Amino acid sequence: MGVILAVTSGKGGVGKSSVSTGLGFAFCSMAQKVLLVDMDEGLRCLDLMLGVDKQTVFDLSDALSTDRIEDSIYPDEKHKGLYLMPAPSKVGLVDTEKFAVFSQRVSSMFDVVIFDFPAGIDLPLYKALPENTNFLTVAILDPVSIRDASAIGNELYESGINARLILNRFVYKQSKKFKMRNIDDIIDMAGLRLIGIVPESEEITLLSLNHSLNKKGKPMAALMRIAKRIAGEQINLPGLKRI
């Protein structure tokens, strides 16, 4: 069984799905076979970010109701080794027990599986994931967002789940306004172990149009650092000015 990630957030608007997609890019660039699973029933977006929206016929609900999981998996033509399973277009089609069986099966089919959950908390589905799942909570540099991430982290911890924090859309000048001088200040505010910081970038904003990120750009470099840390490499966090 390979790497399994559950990407969560408090409220919406923090760029959680772009982080999930970017991590997919990062892992497949490391020669890993990667599956992105869109868990946002009724509001899916990963198919647009990867540019496979016109190809999708079957989705996660079809994979749960039949044994033909492969029919609901779509390859990303721009990134070798990256695949997507779209979320259902309607709400209420993901059965928890069937999802538990499904998550075990796909974790044996891919090197990396990234479950992109909608904003908020869905403990029954979280607990249906394999035991070795890594939970990542995405927030932006805003007191409300950081507080929401901390609340999710606490609720997960009380349920026996440890989460790590990804700070997204980071702008150094804003960190000074919030009196954050270094990484430790961010960790203290969130109450979660920080695994990475992704800078604000127009190319991430335009991901649903371009379907890729510049391999030499700062966002991709940040996502690569996160992916390598998840894979077990010891990589130091850069100073806030260098993000």
Side-chain angles (χ1 to χ4, degrees):
M1 186 176 293
V3 174
I4 306 167
L5 304 177
V7 184
T8 67
S9 71
K11 294 181 180 179
V14 300
K16 172 185 54 59
S17 293
S18 63
V19 168
S20 296
T21 303
L23 287 174
F25 295 161
F27 277 110
C28 74
S29 72
M30 296 162 61
Q32 301 294 293
K33 185 179 180 182
V34 183
L35 176 65
L36 280 167
V37 183
D38 194 335
M39 297 297 299
D40 201 348
E41 294 179 90
L43 295 171
R44 65 189 187 193
C45 66
L46 296 188
D47 56 330
L48 289 170
M49 290 188 175
L50 295 185
V52 300
D53 50 299
K54 294 181 180 179
Q55 304 173 29
T56 57
V57 177
F58 302 107
D59 55 45
L60 176 59
S61 64
D62 298 297
L64 296 181
S65 60
T66 70
D67 290 330
R68 297 179 60 84
I69 290 178
E70 294 82 359
D71 289 344
S72 301
I73 294 175
Y74 300 88
D76 178 6
E77 296 181 357
K78 282 194 173 184
H79 302 85
K80 183 179 179 181
L82 181 60
Y83 300 83
L84 170 69
M85 178 167 291
S89 58
K90 297 181 179 180
V91 178
L93 299 180
V94 177
D95 177 82
T96 302
E97 292 184 4
K98 291 181 179 179
F99 177 71
V101 175
F102 162 81
S103 63
Q104 290 285 349
R105 286 188 61 186
V106 293
S107 65
S108 66
M109 296 167 59
F110 292 85
D111 300 314
V112 180
V113 182
I114 303 172
F115 293 93
D116 181 38
F117 282 92
I121 301 175
D122 194 334
L123 287 175
L125 284 182
Y126 294 168
K127 291 181 178 180
L129 292 168
E131 291 184 359
N132 65 324
T133 300
N134 297 279
F135 280 79
L136 306 174
T137 296
V138 180
I140 59 174
L141 192 58
D142 172 82
V144 174
S145 180
I146 295 292
R147 185 177 63 185
D148 288 345
S150 179
I152 286 183
N154 289 335
E155 189 155 350
L156 290 174
Y157 182 78
E158 291 175 359
S159 299
I161 299 171
N162 289 316
R164 302 288 296 275
L165 175 69
I166 294 178
L167 194 62
N168 192 33
R169 294 167 50 190
F170 179 80
V171 178
Y172 177 66
K173 290 182 179 180
Q174 291 180 356
S175 71
K176 296 174 68 177
K177 291 181 180 179
F178 291 122
K179 298 181 180 180
M180 294 179 178
R181 298 160 296 175
N182 51 44
I183 300 296
D184 290 336
D185 289 339
I186 297 173
I187 295 172
D188 289 343
M189 179 180 283
L192 290 170
R193 291 179 63 197
L194 184 70
I195 195 170
I197 303 175
V198 182
E200 177 71 272
S201 170
E202 183 179 356
E203 66 171 327
I204 290 184
T205 304
L206 298 176
L207 193 56
S208 60
L209 295 176
N210 298 328
H211 317 306
S212 64
L213 295 174
N214 180 0
K215 293 181 179 180
K216 296 182 179 180
K218 285 189 175 182
M220 195 63 203
L223 290 159
M224 285 296 301
R225 288 193 293 268
I226 295 171
K228 289 179 179 180
R229 290 186 193 106
I230 293 170
E233 293 189 37
Q234 298 295 322
I235 299 178
N236 294 330
L237 285 163
L240 295 184
K241 289 183 178 181
R242 298 175 56 199
I243 298 296

